[in-house]
Every structure is written in structure tokens, then in C-alpha cells.
Amino acid sequence: MPRIRTSYLVASLLAFFLLIFLIVPVGKVIYVAFQDSSTGALTLVNFVDFFKTSLFRESFFNSLYVAGMSVLIASLIALPLAYFTSRFNFGGSILIQTLGIIPLIMPPFVGAVAMQLFFGSNGSINLLLDQWFGINIPFMKGLNGVILVESIHYFPFILINLSAALNNIDRSMEEAAQNLGSSGIRLFRKIVFPLAMPGYLAGAALVFLKAFDDLGTPLLLNVNNMLAPQAYLRISSIGISDPMGYVISVILVVFSLFALWVSMLASRGKDYSGGGKGVSGLLKRDMRGWQKAGAYCLIIFLLLLVLSPHISLVLLSFGTIWSYSVLPDAYTMAHYVEVFGTTREYITNTLLYAGLAASFDVAFSVAIAYVVLRTKVIGRQWLDYIATGALAVPGVVLGIGYLRTFNDFNVPIIDKPLASWWVIIVVALAIRRLPYALRACTAALHQVSVSLEEAAENLGAGKTATVRKIVVPLMAGGIVAGFVTSFATAAVELSATLMLVTAESDAPLAYGIYVFMQSAAGRGPGAALGLIAVVVVAFGSYLAHHFIERNKRMQATLTG
Amino acid sequence: MSLATRVKPVRLQIEDVHISFGSTKVLQGIDLDIEPGEFFAFLGPSGSGKSTLLRAIAGFGPRPQGRILIDNEDIISLSPWKREVGMVFQNYALWPHLTVQKNVAFGLEERKVAKAEISTRVEEALDMVGLADLADRHPSQLSGGQQQRVALARTIVIRPRLLLLDEPLSNLDANLRVQMRTDILKLQRKLGLTTIFVTHDQEEANTISDRMAVLDKGIIQQIGSPMELYDYPVNRFVAHFLGTTNMIEGEVVSVDGATVLQTQSGLKLPLDMAPDARHGAIVFRPQSVHVNPEITQTSAMNLDGTVESLEFLGSTVRYGVKVGEVTVLAEEDHQRGKPIYKKTERVQLVIPQKQVLFVTE
Amino acid sequence: MLLRKNYRKMTGRFVLSVGILTCLALPAWALEKDLTVVTSYPKDLTTAFKQAFEKQNPGVKVEMLKKKTTAGVKYIQETASNNSSDLFWASAPDAFEVLKGDGLLAKYTVKAVGIPDLIGSYPINDPDGYYKGFAGSGYGMMWNTRYLKAKKIPAPKEWNDLAKAVYHGHTGMSAPSRSGTTHLTVETILQGEGWENGWKLLKEIGGNFHTVTERSFGVPDGVNSGQFGVGIVIDFFGLSSMASGFPVDFVYPTVTTLVPANIAIVKNSPHPEAAAAFIEFLLSEAGQEMLLDPKIRRLPVRPETYAKAPKDFPNPFIDKTIGAKVKFDVVKSKDRYNLVNSMFDVMITYRLDDLREATKAVQDAEKAMAGKSNAEAEKLVAEARALIAVLPIDENKSLDNEFSAIFKKKRKKATDKVTGRQAEVEQQWDTMVKSNYAEAIKLAKKAKSML
Ligand SMILES: Nc1ncnc2c1ncn2[C@@H]1O[C@H](COP(=O)(O)OP(=O)(O)O)[C@@H](O)[C@H]1O
Ligand SMILES: [Mg+2]
């Protein structure tokens, strides 16, 4: 049958791409983990060493602890935001939702510096606390700092997924419960939240994974005894090829996949969305005076908390000198003048790279989601698993892997190694951000009833036409969401790109920030550049959000 | 060519079709021959495999074993989009992101019909279902009945060779259902389309179809016109499924050279032939039973019993009469002033032999 | 209708903007890039030299590819098979040693004359002729004046000051495994003070650390923002921070180390002539003078350039306290490079909390002891100090090539054999260090309780 052949063809293309740009490069780097360093023979002795070494065991548990606590704190931040905006008629819901996503766009280096200036042991908050009460709270000390930064940074994953799930609940479910006498928080706890559980779990799993694997945050807070920094420190030291770095990478990858698998098991058979024929989205109610005031206070507090790195970034970018004081000494436009004067191409490069990478990601994700959910290709689940596994591959490992794999391959016409062509940066970004787009697109396709596709085929549309005219438009919301997440996070990605930039003229923003942040005078311009990144990306996501909301209103019902 | 121009109707033949989902066999040994222009119904309880069979004709679901022929051409390996078999989905499957006009135009666009023609044909189709003025709405802005009509228009606009309808009326309220069913029938007659209609409602099937197939557990139980099936069910299932019936189980025994069916309590009922089976049941409709006052008329098929219940159904009165251990239902026409039998009253039931069927399955 | 149109419009716009962006970016790779310099130096320095060199050599374009030293080394190693870099330009000599060891550098003989062999006691050029020193930098201490004032801490003058209790929790340094120049400082202390005493001093200083930073720039960054008060930094970090207006100050201790800054031509460089010209420019009088710029601030290797320097500019060719005390043994440093880094990490970086706690306990006990005399307590404290100072290996072992090979084990041939594994050895050290620190805490607490 032709349709089987086509689906196998598409699946093989997808698999081939993942093989070339993910498995082979990563394999080339981490096979060292399975090699006896003295004889070169295959062995598992390095893994034995890992578990025998107390530092690594400690790091493992620290990473686990940080990831767990981050999920907890991130949930505490995301739950009220999701609840209030989806449950009540609330002025500025879209604004809140958009602001709630900004923390995902934390530019490298400056983000951590900004957090230190605010929450650090001698940051604004502690200076004030010391002045007023004579106390000092170690927000940023050791693992606390990592947990704080990770939860603020990644809670939007829970917010996005949970809000989406809440908005997809069939209203009759809630009405039935009300009809049987349930209301308020009880209703939310017993009916609404369980129905939104798969969305919450998907978000929580992402937060867990990112906090578990994240390298930048612990490194910039100088916390060494966690897995990711241990891997990085051991991989990137001069002249050392200590296999432990790669062992840790393998363990990170395996453990992350395990966490994903557990979250998938936990939500299996619990996906209730999209099945009903009623109006989806919770019944929105008006709040009474004091309730409203209370809710606004809570939301404003949470937004202030999660936006504090960005608020601090604004101060940093306009401030002259900010050192051991609550606020900068004075304000100036000079940093922006410098940035616009010298580094415009960083911005255009970033838009190009992140835009291409995110477009590629959504296209690839739609294809994978389609193959996985709509075809019978044997082993199709593995496309999903492997693509999602990219989440767990440290950026440095991918960067080194690309150098190793593609340096000897000269691109025809331009005649230079693929590894030093700017396109490879796009590919690296795309692979690193693929999992985000994939989750969004898979969820979106889940919600498209198969009969809508069958109806198109029945009327004479082939698979391709059906996908193009029916499936993709119906997935638009998810595709846009996936695009935004991939784009926003790719725009500030550092680790892999730093390794792959071979010419300043090809460099993206993150590299520019890195360069600025290497000198004392560069802090202000670095912050300015970081803020520009945030503003550009945030504006993009606001537009996308707007689009999704309208889309949703248009198709309020009938997805049965 | 206008929509209403009759196309040459097609014949659909299904030969020994088997369908399984993994290891569960859902349809077995399906054989059907549907005449050109026929309005055919698949009737059966939920889960009997009606939708699976219908979808197989449209090319969806697991690939069937056997043959499906349209005008002697086997379509089993044809992709759904090449079959020219129009299907109306149970949930309508209207695309929420497209307007009514766009939904209906879709199939024509796929066929690369010229723009101008598309718009006239869409208009015509919408006209035919009475929705011409709602063309610019989105599906979410329509009522259930209107959505149904859009789904129908969307299907017929491509002039399919076959029209398949999967429980198209089940989401509508009772009045609308009756209305729609006549509309569909009228449309079918007008277009002369060979049509298959899936339903679990026997009244629906009876009123609308020329012939029908009763399915149970993935097997076709019986094929025939509604009246044939009603009058001559071949087995207990069909008898039960099509309307109220009396069924009395027993053993086939021979008494004084005559074959009778003996119930558990010893009641002996005459059979007009000698079946091979040792067990069986006699089947007769309540309206075949006449209720008389307890005056003995000696005929083998007269049963004495006691009135146990009575229900007033408007045109008839339905009595439950206890005969031995079985309760026999009997329906009497109702006329003003006609005497009514009371509960506990002794009555005699008269069942004409030719109204009685013997079934073994 | 509306929705559909919008969808189309959005798609259209998106495709359009991607197209435009692609066109914008095309010149980026169409440009001819002549000379590619992989460097760890900040913008201020690289931009100045790039512009001056391009002006002097019209037609040559310089691409400054900024990578952290470690990443730069990795980059050159990984791309060696299809090399596109011309020069490697960074401070840490050991990074050059690694590349040289891998055969990734090209020999070059400098044409410029008038450059002495030594700066301080450190040889300016690679004796094997692969990399050339073009400047020097001294190590010192920078501090945040607001911080010290608020916490009433005196400004430090000497390395030993940083071991004092008053600095506990207020200092920071970068790990030698992360920063080649920091490694040089650690090695200088080990060579100057001797193996045992050097480590003892390092641990005493380390016990006061607030942080061991991952990047060398993390130290000036931390001091500038007031995360901690005092940092051990290379001079230009301190001086450029001052120049940028941060409330910080910098001193060279009376005995400091000098770190040369180097440049080398990468093997199979695509543009060896332009690369050589760049080196010659760097070493020319004009190039050397540029180092005096306050934003760049490196010590020139041409003695006569100092005549043009501002008044209080240190001159290592005259002032013999700068980097002259220690006769630096490059071979020794190179042989145990990874081993010293690993020891520092195991004893200080990764066990910072334990070390800090032990140091605090000892400092508390000593404070309680001040003015009193309690022989037994003194003995306990001395024991505690000794426990903290215990080393897993002695100097001979550190120079045992077979042993230190465990930490290199970059196998070049399949027949290269190494016995033992780094993880195994580090675990043994860690166990020992951890229990020693714990024991020291116990002893010091006991001593304190006796007072
Ligand atoms: N996708 C499927 N996978 C497995 N079993 C199925 C699937 N679809 C239908 N079935 C089974 O096939 C049988 C017939 O289903 P269906 O044709 O939908 O019944 P009907 O339309 O008569 O109610 C049912 O027992 C049902 O459980
Ligand atoms: Mg059905």
C-alpha cells in the first residue's frame, strides 16, 4: 500500500536526521565513557568508579534534590497564576500569561549576575534586610541559589502546560460536579486538577529535567557538586580526557530519559482532554471586591518574584556602577548606545538562527508527532524518545560532537568545513530545542480528532493534502506555542553555540553577551544586549499568544 | 452537470470480509450484495461492528481480508482518497477552522474543480440541505441539526459513487431525527445514490431502508427487507432485536406421531414440521395472539392462562398472560368501548399456526 | 474566513521575514576572512590590535574568535584535521604547552629584536620555539572598598593576610583547573614556598574563601558586584575594573608572580604570512605601546616601552620584587599540571564547605585561646591545623611521571599504558581529606570547649 511506504519513508528520513545530527555526534563524544582509559577496551569500570566515588554520589543526590525542590517551588509559583487566569474573569490575563513566560528567556551570564545583585548575600534584598532587621537570608547560597534560579527560570513550563490543559477541559465536567454539589477549591482539587493532571505532569517533568541537567546556573553560581557541572568541569579542562565527564553525561542522558518515561507512565490513560463535545475551557467567574484585591496582590507578588532577574537586568543595563548597594549609583543610556553602535549583527544573527531553528523544530515536530500518533511504523515511538532525549544532552557535548563529526566534511560551493559554517549553529540550536516544540506539537495533535482527517481523506484529499490543509491548521495553536518556546530559548542559548562560533560576524547574541561579560566595562552593555534579547523575544511571544487566543475563540467548540 | 443529475448508481459487493484489530476479530465472513441505487442499512447493537464495516468500505481502519467490489472493481487496496465513497461521520467531523462554505468546497478543491464551478456547486449543495444563508459561518456557530446538514452537503457535493452514513441522526433530538430521516431519504432518491446507513435503532432502519443487514458480534445475522426480517427472523437475536416478540423455549419431542415443543413445565406446543434440532424455540409476535374469554376451543395452539399485566399503548393494549412458567405477550387492537381483561382474569390465547416460527439458533 | 486569512498572512509574513534575514546574513559568510585568531582576550584588547593591524596591513582582515582558554584549546584540537585557525592568542603558557604537546603549533622565529629572554624570572619565549611571549601580567589582590568599609575589614597587603580569620568568608579565587593563569599562581606558590608549605598556605587561604569561581573573570565580577570583598586576580582585571569606575582597589603583594601572555601560530595555518606579520606587529614598538592603554594594561616585554608608561606603572625589568623571587621551573610545572589541578579541586574546590568549616573551627578556637594559655588546647589546635594541611602525596610522588600520567592519559597510541584511574585515585584522596577535615573540626571544637 502506498501510504505505508510513504510513512516509512518519512520516518526513515526523520530517523536519519536524528542519527546524523544527534546520535552520531553524541556517540562520538561519550563512547569514552565505555572505554578503559588505559587499554582502550570496552568496559563498564568507569560506571563502577562513578558510584564508588563519594563526590559523584553526593553530586547525584544534590542534582536530584535540586530538581525535586525546583519542581516544588515552580509548582507553587505556576499553580496560582494558572488557576486565577483560567478560572476567573481577569483583566490582563494574556499579559499575565505572557509575562509568565518571560523568565524562560534568561540571557546567559547577565541573568545570574542580575540575580546575584538582587538576591545575593550582599544583594539589594539582603542589604535592605540587613539595614532594617539586621538579618541576612542566604537565598543564593549553594543549592538554595540553584533551586531559586531554576524554579524562577523554568516554572513557565508548568504554567504553559497547565494553562493549556485547564483550557481544554470540557466545561460539562465542571458543570456536572457543580450539579452534584461541589464548588470552589474542592471542585478544583477533586475534578479540575485531576483532569488537568497530564498537562501538569508534562510541565513538571520538563522542569525536573531541566533543573537536573542544567549546567549554566550551577556554574555561574559556582556550585560544583552537582552532576552537570561535574561533567562540564571534567570535559572542558585543558588537556584532560577524564572519562568521568562522559560517564556523567551518559548518566544524565539515561536518567533524564528515565524521568520522562516515568512521567509518561504516570499520565498514561489520563488524557481526558479533547474527548468531550461540549464547550472547552473552564467556566470563568467574576470575583468579588476583596477576593479580587487579594488575587491581584498574590499575582503581582509572584510576577515581581519571577521577573526580578529581568527587573534587575533593566537596572543593570541603565545603571552606571552597581556595587554593594541597593540600587545603581546613577543611570545612563551609554550602554545601549554602545550596543547599537557596535553589535547590531548579533541581533540579526540571533533572529535568523533562532527563527530558522524554531521553524525547523516545528516542522520536524509535526512530522514526528504525525508519524508517532497517526501511523503504524514499527518503532515509531523511538523517534519521540530520541528526539526528546536531546533535552538531556549537555550543550558542550553536542558542540564537541559536531566539531568532531563535521569538521572533515567540506560543504560544497562555499568549500569550508560544515562544522564552521553558520548553518551548523542553526542545526545545533534546532536539535537542542527540538524537545520543546515536539511536546507542544504532540499535545496539539492529540487534540485533533482522527475523524477530521478521515473526513478529508474521504473527500479525496491525500495524506499530504490532509496534513497541510487540516492537521496543520488545527494544530496551529500548538505549533505556535512550540515555535515560541523553541525560538525564545534558542535565542539565549549559549553552551553549544559558544563551541561552534567560528567567526564573530556569524555570532549570535549569547556569544556577544559572553564577550561583553569578560570585561569589567562590558557588564552594562552585556546587560543591555541581554535585555534587547528579552524584549525582542517577549514581543514575539506576545504576538503569538494573541494569535493563539484568537484562534481558540474562533473554534470554541466542535473538535469532538 | 447539476448535482441532481442522476449518475449511474453503483453496485457494492462485499465478499468474505474479515477484520481484526490486532488479535481481536471484529468482523467475520461478511458477504453482502448491495444493489445499485439501494438504500441499505446496517443494524445492530453498539459494538457489533457496523462502523468498522462501514469504515472499511471507505478505506479506514485495519486492512480487511476478502474483497470489496464497486461495480466489480476491487477497491480494497485503494487509498481512502481515491475511492470516491462519500461518508458522513457520526460526529460530523466538520473542520472548526474552516467556514461552512470552505468545508463544503474542500472536496471539490481537492479535485481541482474550477473556482466558479466550485462556488455554484457548493451553493447548490447547501441549497439542497437548506443552509444556503449560513455559508460564512464557522461550524461552532451552528446547531447540531445544521452541522449535520453541512456534513451531508460536504459529502454529496463531490458526487460520490456511494454514500455512507454512520449513525447520522444519533446526535439529534427526536423531532429533528424524524425530519432529517425523511430529508435524507428524499435526497437519496433524488440523487439515486447507492447508500448505506448505519444505525442501532430498528425503527430508523425500518422506515428508511430498502434492505438491511442485522449484525451481531461481527457476524451478519440476516439480510432482507425490513418486513422480511420482521416476519421471518432466522434466529433468536434477530427476532428479539426487531421489535417485541414472544419466544418460548423447549425440547423437540414426538408425541403420538406429532412433533411438539415441550417446555420445562410440560407445556406442549405443536410444531408444523419436524426439525433436526433437539432444542429450539417458537417465536410469534404479540399482535398475532388473540385473547379470548376462557371458552374452550380445542386447537393445539390454544393456551390457557391468567392475565398478569396490561399496558395501554394507544392503538393497542398489551397483555401479559401467564401460561405455565412463561409469560406470553398479546396485543389487542383498541377501540372505544371494547372490553378490557382484568388482572387475574382467566383467558385463552389463540395463536394461528402460520404466525408461529420455529428457530433453533 | 478571518482566521484562515490571518493564518495565511502570518505564514506569509514569516516566510518573508526569514527570507529577508537570510539575505541580511549572506554577506556574513560571503566575506573573505583572512586571518583567524583564536583568543581568550577581552574585546578592549582584541579590537584595538585588530584595528591597528588592519590599518597597517591594508587588505588583511582579522577575525577575532573569542573562546575561553580551555574552550579554545578544545576547539583547535577538535578542528585540527581541517584547520581554519591561524593564531592562538592567550595568557596561560600551559594551554600552549598542551597544544604543543599535541603537535598542533607551528615553530616560528621572531624577527623583531630587543626583547630579553626573561621577564621577572620567567622565560618570555618557549625554549622550543613554538610560542612567543608578548606581554606580562602580575597577580595581585583586588577588593571592593564599600564592602570592606561596611564590614570593617582592613585591605590586604600580602598573600598571607588572606589566611587571617578576619577574611573568613570574604575572599574568592578561581580554580586552577579552570584558569591557566590561576594555575600558574598556584604552581608559583608551590615552587616558591615548597610543596608542603605551599599547599598549607593555599589551604589556609582557601579555608577563608567565599567562593571558588568557575571562570577567572568570575573573581573580578564577584568583587565588583560586592558578592565577596577580596579577590585574587590578575592585575588587568583589577586595574580595568578600577578604570571602569567600580569602587575597587588593587595591589601587588611584595612577592608576586608574573604571568606571560603568549601567541603562537597554529599548525597548518591557512595564512602563515599574515599570522607572522601579526606576531611581529605585536612585538614591534608600536604594538608594545598599545599595551600601556589603561583599558588593556599589560606589561610590555620591550624594556624601552616602559619609558612611555604612566608614572606608577610597574616595571618588572627594574623592580625585581615583581616575579623575581621564584625561579620558575617550567618543566616541573608542566609535568604535574593536571595532578596539581586535581589536588586543588579535591582538597579545596569540591570540599570547600568542609574546609571552610574546619578553618572556621580552628580560627574560633584560636580566638578563644588568645591571651590565655592552655597547653592542651594549643596542642589540639596545632593538631587540627596539621590535619587540615595533610597532603595525600608528597612532592616526589607529584613528580613521578608514571603516577601523574594517570591524570593525563591522553593515549596517543593504543600501546600507551597507564595504571590506575583518575576517579579511583581522587576517591581515595577525597575520603582522606574529608575525614581529616571532619577530625580537625572535632579537635578544634574540643579545644575551644576547654577554654
Ligand atoms: N480501534 C480499535 N481498536 C480495537 N478495537 C476496536 C477499535 N475500534 C472498534 N473496536 C472494536 O470493534 C468492535 C466493533 O466496533 P464498532 O464497529 O465501532 O461497533 P458499532 O459501530 O457497531 O458500535 C467493538 O467491539 C470495538 O470494541
Ligand atoms: Mg458505531
Coordinates of all heavy atoms in Angstrom, one line a residue, chain C residues 369-414:
Chain C
M369 N 41.5 31.2 72.4 CA 42.7 31.0 73.1 C 43.5 32.3 73.4 O 44.4 32.3 74.2 CB 43.6 30.0 72.3 CG 43.5 28.6 72.8 SD 44.4 27.4 71.8 CE 45.1 28.3 70.4
A370 N 43.3 33.3 72.5 CA 44.1 34.5 72.6 C 44.2 35.0 74.0 O 43.2 35.2 74.7 CB 43.5 35.5 71.6
G371 N 45.4 35.2 74.4 CA 45.6 35.8 75.8 C 45.6 34.8 76.9 O 46.1 35.0 78.0
K372 N 45.0 33.6 76.6 CA 45.0 32.6 77.6 C 46.1 31.6 77.3 O 46.6 31.6 76.2 CB 43.7 31.8 77.6 CG 42.5 32.7 78.0 CD 41.2 31.9 78.1 CE 40.0 32.8 78.1 NZ 39.1 32.5 77.0
S373 N 46.5 30.8 78.3 CA 47.5 29.8 77.9 C 46.9 28.4 78.4 O 46.6 28.2 79.5 CB 48.9 30.1 78.4 OG 49.0 29.6 79.7
N374 N 46.7 27.6 77.4 CA 46.2 26.2 77.8 C 46.9 25.3 76.8 O 46.6 25.2 75.7 CB 44.7 26.2 77.5 CG 44.1 24.8 77.9 OD1 44.8 23.8 77.8 ND2 42.9 24.8 78.4
A375 N 47.9 24.7 77.4 CA 48.8 23.9 76.6 C 48.1 22.8 75.8 O 48.3 22.6 74.6 CB 49.9 23.2 77.5
E376 N 47.1 22.2 76.5 CA 46.4 21.0 75.9 C 45.6 21.5 74.7 O 45.6 21.0 73.6 CB 45.5 20.3 76.9 CG 45.3 18.9 76.5 CD 44.4 18.2 77.5 OE1 44.5 18.6 78.7 OE2 43.7 17.3 77.1
A377 N 44.9 22.7 74.9 CA 44.1 23.2 73.8 C 45.0 23.6 72.7 O 44.7 23.4 71.5 CB 43.3 24.4 74.3
E378 N 46.1 24.2 73.0 CA 47.0 24.6 71.9 C 47.5 23.4 71.1 O 47.6 23.5 69.9 CB 48.3 25.3 72.5 CG 48.1 26.8 72.7 CD 49.1 27.5 73.6 OE1 50.3 27.1 73.5 OE2 48.7 28.4 74.3
K379 N 47.7 22.4 71.9 CA 48.2 21.2 71.2 C 47.1 20.6 70.2 O 47.3 20.3 69.1 CB 48.5 20.1 72.2 CG 49.3 18.9 71.6 CD 49.8 18.0 72.7 CE 49.8 16.6 72.2 NZ 48.7 15.7 72.7
L380 N 45.8 20.7 70.7 CA 44.7 20.2 69.9 C 44.6 21.0 68.6 O 44.4 20.5 67.5 CB 43.4 20.2 70.7 CG 43.3 19.1 71.7 CD1 42.0 19.4 72.5 CD2 43.2 17.8 71.1
V381 N 44.7 22.4 68.8 CA 44.5 23.3 67.7 C 45.7 23.0 66.7 O 45.4 22.9 65.4 CB 44.5 24.7 68.1 CG1 44.6 25.7 66.9 CG2 43.3 25.0 68.9
A382 N 46.9 22.8 67.2 CA 48.0 22.6 66.3 C 47.8 21.3 65.5 O 48.0 21.2 64.3 CB 49.3 22.5 67.1
E383 N 47.2 20.3 66.3 CA 46.9 19.0 65.6 C 45.9 19.2 64.5 O 46.0 18.7 63.4 CB 46.3 18.0 66.6 CG 47.3 17.0 67.1 CD 46.6 16.1 68.2 OE1 45.6 15.5 67.8 OE2 47.1 16.1 69.3
A384 N 44.9 20.0 64.8 CA 43.8 20.3 63.9 C 44.4 21.0 62.6 O 44.1 20.6 61.5 CB 42.7 21.2 64.5
R385 N 45.2 22.0 62.9 CA 45.8 22.6 61.7 C 46.6 21.6 60.9 O 46.6 21.7 59.6 CB 46.8 23.7 62.2 CG 46.1 25.0 62.5 CD 47.0 26.2 62.3 NE 46.3 27.5 62.5 CZ 45.6 28.1 61.5 NH1 45.5 27.6 60.3 NH2 45.0 29.2 61.7
A386 N 47.4 20.8 61.6 CA 48.2 19.8 60.8 C 47.3 18.9 60.0 O 47.6 18.6 58.9 CB 49.0 19.0 61.8
L387 N 46.2 18.5 60.6 CA 45.3 17.6 59.9 C 44.7 18.3 58.6 O 44.7 17.6 57.6 CB 44.1 17.2 60.8 CG 44.2 16.0 61.6 CD1 43.0 15.9 62.6 CD2 44.4 14.8 60.8
I388 N 44.4 19.5 58.8 CA 43.9 20.2 57.6 C 45.0 20.2 56.5 O 44.7 20.1 55.3 CB 43.5 21.7 57.9 CG1 42.3 21.6 58.9 CG2 43.1 22.4 56.6 CD1 41.9 23.0 59.4
A389 N 46.2 20.4 56.9 CA 47.3 20.5 56.0 C 47.8 19.2 55.3 O 48.5 19.3 54.3 CB 48.5 21.2 56.6
V390 N 47.4 18.1 55.9 CA 47.9 16.8 55.4 C 47.7 16.7 53.9 O 46.6 17.0 53.4 CB 47.2 15.6 56.1 CG1 47.6 14.3 55.5 CG2 47.6 15.6 57.6
L391 N 48.7 16.2 53.2 CA 48.6 16.0 51.8 C 48.5 14.5 51.4 O 49.1 13.7 52.1 CB 49.8 16.6 51.1 CG 49.9 18.1 51.2 CD1 51.2 18.6 50.6 CD2 48.7 18.8 50.6
P392 N 47.8 14.2 50.4 CA 47.7 12.8 50.1 C 49.0 12.3 49.4 O 49.3 11.1 49.5 CB 46.5 12.7 49.0 CG 46.4 14.1 48.5 CD 46.8 15.0 49.6
I393 N 49.8 13.1 48.8 CA 51.0 12.7 48.2 C 52.1 13.7 48.5 O 51.9 14.9 48.7 CB 50.9 12.5 46.7 CG1 50.4 13.7 46.0 CG2 50.0 11.3 46.3 CD1 50.6 13.7 44.5
D394 N 53.4 13.2 48.5 CA 54.5 14.1 48.7 C 55.0 14.6 47.3 O 54.5 14.2 46.3 CB 55.6 13.5 49.5 CG 56.1 12.3 48.8 OD1 55.9 12.1 47.6 OD2 56.8 11.4 49.5
E395 N 56.0 15.5 47.4 CA 56.4 16.2 46.2 C 57.0 15.1 45.2 O 56.8 15.2 44.0 CB 57.4 17.3 46.5 CG 58.0 17.9 45.2 CD 58.3 19.4 45.3 OE1 58.7 19.7 46.4 OE2 58.1 20.1 44.3
N396 N 57.8 14.2 45.7 CA 58.4 13.2 44.8 C 57.4 12.5 44.0 O 57.5 12.3 42.8 CB 59.2 12.2 45.6 CG 60.5 12.8 46.2 OD1 60.9 13.8 45.6 ND2 61.0 12.3 47.2
K397 N 56.3 12.1 44.7 CA 55.2 11.4 44.0 C 54.6 12.3 42.9 O 54.3 11.8 41.9 CB 54.1 11.0 45.0 CG 53.0 10.2 44.4 CD 53.1 8.7 44.8 CE 52.0 7.9 44.1 NZ 52.0 6.5 44.4
S398 N 54.5 13.6 43.3 CA 53.9 14.5 42.3 C 54.8 14.6 41.0 O 54.3 15.0 40.0 CB 53.7 15.9 42.9 OG 54.9 16.6 42.9
L399 N 56.0 14.3 41.2 CA 56.9 14.4 40.0 C 57.2 13.1 39.4 O 57.9 13.0 38.4 CB 58.3 15.0 40.5 CG 58.1 16.5 40.9 CD1 59.4 17.1 41.5 CD2 57.6 17.4 39.7
D400 N 56.5 12.0 40.0 CA 56.7 10.7 39.4 C 55.8 10.7 38.1 O 54.6 10.7 38.2 CB 56.1 9.7 40.5 CG 56.1 8.3 39.9 OD1 56.3 8.1 38.7 OD2 55.7 7.4 40.7
N401 N 56.5 10.6 37.0 CA 55.8 10.7 35.8 C 54.8 9.6 35.5 O 53.7 9.9 34.9 CB 56.8 10.7 34.6 CG 57.3 12.1 34.3 OD1 56.6 13.0 34.6 ND2 58.5 12.2 33.7
E402 N 55.1 8.5 36.1 CA 54.1 7.4 35.8 C 52.8 7.6 36.6 O 51.8 7.4 36.1 CB 54.8 6.1 36.3 CG 54.2 4.8 35.7 CD 55.0 3.6 36.0 OE1 56.2 3.6 35.8 OE2 54.4 2.7 36.6
F403 N 53.0 8.2 37.8 CA 51.8 8.5 38.6 C 51.0 9.6 38.0 O 49.8 9.6 37.8 CB 52.2 8.8 40.0 CG 51.0 9.1 40.9 CD1 50.2 8.1 41.3 CD2 50.8 10.4 41.3 CE1 49.1 8.3 42.0 CE2 49.6 10.7 42.1 CZ 48.8 9.6 42.5
S404 N 51.7 10.7 37.6 CA 51.0 11.9 37.1 C 50.3 11.6 35.7 O 49.4 12.3 35.3 CB 51.8 13.1 37.1 OG 52.9 12.9 36.3
A405 N 50.8 10.5 35.1 CA 50.3 10.1 33.8 C 48.8 9.7 33.9 O 48.0 9.9 33.0 CB 51.0 9.0 33.2
I406 N 48.4 9.2 35.1 CA 47.0 8.9 35.4 C 46.1 10.0 35.1 O 45.0 9.9 34.6 CB 46.8 8.4 36.8 CG1 47.6 7.2 37.1 CG2 45.4 8.3 37.2 CD1 47.5 6.7 38.5
F407 N 46.6 11.2 35.3 CA 45.8 12.4 35.2 C 45.8 13.0 33.8 O 45.1 13.9 33.4 CB 46.2 13.5 36.2 CG 46.0 13.0 37.6 CD1 47.0 12.2 38.2 CD2 44.9 13.3 38.3 CE1 46.8 11.8 39.5 CE2 44.7 12.9 39.5 CZ 45.6 12.1 40.2
K408 N 46.8 12.5 33.0 CA 46.8 13.0 31.6 C 46.1 12.0 30.7 O 45.1 12.3 30.1 CB 48.3 13.1 31.1 CG 48.9 14.3 31.6 CD 50.3 14.4 30.9 CE 51.3 15.2 31.8 NZ 52.6 14.6 31.7
K409 N 46.7 10.8 30.7 CA 46.2 9.7 30.0 C 45.5 10.1 28.7 O 44.3 9.8 28.4 CB 45.3 8.8 30.8 CG 44.0 9.4 31.3 CD 43.2 8.4 32.0 CE 42.2 9.1 32.8 NZ 42.0 8.7 34.1
K410 N 46.2 10.9 28.0 CA 45.7 11.1 26.6 C 46.5 10.1 25.8 O 47.7 10.3 25.5 CB 46.0 12.6 26.2 CG 45.4 12.9 24.9 CD 45.2 14.4 24.7 CE 44.7 14.7 23.4 NZ 43.3 14.4 23.2
R411 N 45.9 9.0 25.5 CA 46.6 8.0 24.8 C 46.8 8.4 23.4 O 45.9 8.7 22.7 CB 45.8 6.7 24.9 CG 45.8 6.1 26.3 CD 45.0 4.9 26.4 NE 43.9 4.9 25.5 CZ 43.7 4.1 24.5 NH1 44.7 3.2 24.2 NH2 42.7 4.2 23.7
K412 N 48.0 8.4 23.0 CA 48.3 8.7 21.6 C 48.3 7.4 20.8 O 48.0 7.4 19.6 CB 49.6 9.4 21.5 CG 49.6 10.8 22.2 CD 50.4 11.8 21.4 CE 50.4 13.1 22.2 NZ 51.2 13.0 23.4
K413 N 48.9 6.4 21.4 CA 48.9 5.1 20.7 C 48.1 4.1 21.5 O 48.0 4.2 22.7 CB 50.4 4.6 20.6 CG 51.2 5.6 19.7 CD 52.6 5.0 19.5 CE 53.4 4.9 20.7 NZ 54.2 6.0 21.1
A414 N 47.7 3.1 20.9 CA 46.9 2.0 21.6 C 47.8 1.3 22.6 O 47.4 0.7 23.5 CB 46.3 1.1 20.6

